[in-house]
Amino acid sequence: MRLEDLKGQYPKTPDFISEMIEKEVEKQVHTQKNVRRSRKKKKVWTLGRTATAAAVACVLIGTGAYAAVNAYRNYHMNLQQQGSYSVVTGVTADTESQTTEALPDQIADVRIETSYIPEGMEWKDERHLDYINTDNKGGFSIDSVLIGDGNLEEGLTDTSVEESEQTIFGEHEGVYLKYHTVQTDTHFNQRIYLLCPEEGRIVTMYIGSDVSKEEAYKVAEGITLKETGEMVSTGDMWDWNTLVENENAALAEGDGSELPAYDTVVTADKLHIYTMGEEIYKDGYLTEDAQGNQTAESKVSLKVDSVQVSDDFSLLNEAYIPDEWKDRLDENEKLKDNEATYVKCGDGVDTLDEVVRTESFSAKLVYATLTVTNHSDQDLENIHYYIRLSLLNQTDDGYQEKDYMNQSGEDYDYVQWDGGLNIDGGMQYYDSQSDIGKNYISSLAAGESTEVNVAWIVNEEDLGRMYLEVSGYGASLNSPNADPIQLVDVRQ
């Protein structure tokens, strides 16, 4: 997923469609809004589209561009405290006017590098420095913006900050922030802003809780911007003012992380409920023929053969056990209880989120075996599947979906769960994977069938509420959808 999907300590309803397609990308969709990033509409900018050194700008795009970049040499980064837990990071100039010269239309491209990499880490791509063999749950995500060509008086406000420091990182002025959170699993709870005046850029480092402050400082001290030899349009880049405007607006609006106002009850006419063993045709599956042509009417069927419940991982293929489950077994190789933390929200300025109480729930593994069949007269490739587990209570008006996240009471505002529970219903374990991505069947010959196994961890008390959503949408049942959602009754 994306930097804008990183969020703070308040839970947010996840983007299941994105999870289907890019589950491995920026998997912080269940973490913290403090590192959530808004994006300019229809303009996606990666770290490879950053700034050039001033001398290179002078050679490639003329003295006007050089003057604009050179003007930033009098700029400095500063930090101001507002309230007990809110800070404002700003950029100021030595001169009375903070207005720089206009940016050129194009600027040289650079990439961000560091001379120090913590032991056990490697670059996963041009902006992610992660621990080897992890599932993109922490480490470093690095982004940057232009300093810009306008007035820089307004600063960037961050809340729920429990530690802050203005300092020098190597050759760059910067600010370090650590956010307060009640989460116990890996998440992004630290940030460093670096001012790079020679390149006219501000670099932002989003840092996981699996990284110590000392290691974060060492990486920041080694940051440099290297030329790539290419030119890019400044119109496709964000500047500091745009970043501040969007971040501060999101903060004023509650950061957009509130749960959507869907109806709590799904009427029966929006659901088509099957029993185990019934064959369900999936003409909407995205598949390809042997020539690589996508076909919408693939004549693929799916049926749920069995559902087993266990208190250990003996049913699973060890190669496909997700990282977040690696610590879910106790010393006897049995599932640990699921832990719920009940939290009262603070305002992030004078008060912080407070843990009211914790509660344990007996956990069970739910393991489903399904058969996928190609009924067409041609071989198919890259058959996508997505099976979602829904917890439903039948009501007089239809079905009400139980939401582990959207809960509140007299003394708490939300519940934070540990890393093992199936919070959103999305597939956690699946053993049929292809070269193009997970939850794909590489190939299926005409008339051929294959087995798919999926699994979730749930609270034992919810075994009697379980339905498998096989529509392939991957969305919550309360999400708007024109077609009836296909469910299989797997209640135990």
Side-chain angles (χ1 to χ4, degrees), residues 162-201:
E162 64 180 15
E163 181 181 353
S164 61
E165 182 180 16
Q166 180 180 345
T167 186
I168 303 295
F169 297 92
E171 299 180 353
H172 303 119
E173 296 183 20
V175 166
Y176 168 82
L177 304 177
K178 183 178 181 181
Y179 303 94
H180 172 79
T181 177
V182 299
Q183 289 182 252
T184 57
D185 58 351
T186 304
H187 53 283
F188 285 80
N189 69 331
Q190 303 170 86
R191 189 183 300 188
I192 291 176
Y193 299 112
L194 294 177
L195 179 64
C196 304
E198 297 295 330
E199 296 82 12
R201 299 295 178 267

Side-chain angles (χ1 to χ4, degrees), residues 42-236:
K42 295 186 179 180
K43 290 189 177 180
V44 178
W45 173 51
T46 64
L47 291 185
R49 302 297 182 259
T50 53
T52 181
V56 175
C58 180
V59 172
L60 295 180
I61 53 181
T63 57
Y66 175 77
V69 174
N70 188 51
Y72 295 123
R73 292 181 177 179
N74 294 322
Y75 278 67
H76 302 282
M77 185 164 280
N78 61 79
L79 183 68
Q80 296 181 358
Q81 190 78 30
Q82 288 191 344
S84 300
Y85 305 106
S86 178
V87 298
V88 177
T89 302
V91 178
T92 57
D94 291 337
T95 58
E96 293 182 1
S97 173
Q98 296 191 56
T99 301
T100 65
E101 299 183 36
L103 287 169
D105 292 334
Q106 286 191 323
I107 199 167
D109 179 26
V110 301
R111 66 179 180 272
I112 295 179
E113 296 182 353
T114 180
S115 61
Y116 177 80
I117 297 178
E119 183 178 357
M121 278 193 171
E122 65 179 16
W123 287 102
K124 291 292 182 73
D125 54 45
E126 64 180 1
R127 72 181 206 186
H128 296 98
L129 185 62
D130 298 335
Y131 284 106
I132 301 171
N133 300 323
T134 62
D135 201 18
N136 284 341
K137 294 190 298 182
F140 295 85
S141 290
I142 307 176
D143 207 350
S144 62
V145 296
L146 302 169
I147 293 179
D149 58 1
N151 191 287
L152 302 177
E153 289 185 353
E154 186 176 3
L156 178 58
T157 301
D158 284 286
T159 59
S160 297
V161 176
E162 64 180 15
E163 181 181 353
S164 61
E165 182 180 16
Q166 180 180 345
T167 186
I168 303 295
F169 297 92
E171 299 180 353
H172 303 119
E173 296 183 20
V175 166
Y176 168 82
L177 304 177
K178 183 178 181 181
Y179 303 94
H180 172 79
T181 177
V182 299
Q183 289 182 252
T184 57
D185 58 351
T186 304
H187 53 283
F188 285 80
N189 69 331
Q190 303 170 86
R191 189 183 300 188
I192 291 176
Y193 299 112
L194 294 177
L195 179 64
C196 304
E198 297 295 330
E199 296 82 12
R201 299 295 178 267
I202 296 173
V203 172
T204 305
M205 303 171 61
Y206 305 91
I207 306 161
S209 59
D210 54 353
V211 179
S212 69
K213 177 182 177 182
E214 292 72 23
E215 291 285 73
Y217 271 48
K218 291 179 181 179
V219 174
E221 289 166 358
I223 289 290
T224 56
L225 304 181
K226 299 293 185 179
E227 309 157 21
T228 69
E230 298 181 359
M231 302 293 292
V232 291
S233 170
T234 56
D236 291 336

Side-chain angles (χ1 to χ4, degrees), residues 249-268:
L251 182 65
E253 296 171 1
D255 200 44
S257 59
E258 292 80 8
L259 294 164
Y262 295 136
D263 293 334
T264 57
V265 175
V266 183
T267 56

Side-chain angles (χ1 to χ4, degrees), residues 202-353:
I202 296 173
V203 172
T204 305
M205 303 171 61
Y206 305 91
I207 306 161
S209 59
D210 54 353
V211 179
S212 69
K213 177 182 177 182
E214 292 72 23
E215 291 285 73
Y217 271 48
K218 291 179 181 179
V219 174
E221 289 166 358
I223 289 290
T224 56
L225 304 181
K226 299 293 185 179
E227 309 157 21
T228 69
E230 298 181 359
M231 302 293 292
V232 291
S233 170
T234 56
D236 291 336
M237 302 180 185
W238 273 37
D239 63 18
W240 177 252
N241 283 334
T242 305
L243 175 67
V244 169
E245 180 182 356
N246 280 267
E247 288 276 342
N248 290 352
L251 182 65
E253 296 171 1
D255 200 44
S257 59
E258 292 80 8
L259 294 164
Y262 295 136
D263 293 334
T264 57
V265 175
V266 183
T267 56
D269 62 321
K270 294 182 179 179
L271 306 176
H272 191 155
I273 299 179
Y274 297 85
T275 60
M276 285 196 293
E278 283 192 79
E279 203 158 35
I280 306 166
Y281 280 83
K282 303 297 297 173
D283 288 343
Y285 267 111
L286 176 61
T287 61
E288 299 176 355
D289 59 24
Q291 287 72 45
N293 300 313
Q294 292 184 358
T295 172
E297 296 183 359
S298 56
K299 296 184 178 178
V300 172
S301 73
L302 178 150
K303 66 182 177 71
V304 179
D305 299 312
S306 65
V307 171
Q308 302 177 67
V309 177
S310 174
D311 60 0
D312 57 32
F313 287 164
S314 59
L315 296 170
L316 305 181
N317 183 328
E318 186 174 354
Y320 299 116
I321 296 177
D323 284 348
E324 56 264 38
W325 286 7
K326 297 296 176 63
D327 64 348
R328 298 310 304 161
L329 299 180
D330 61 21
E331 63 276 8
N332 298 315
E333 298 299 310
K334 299 297 183 182
L335 276 173
K336 298 177 183 178
D337 287 347
N338 292 322
E339 300 291 337
T341 301
Y342 297 83
V343 182
K344 184 70 175 177
C345 291
D347 61 16
V349 178
D350 295 309
T351 58
L352 297 173
D353 283 10

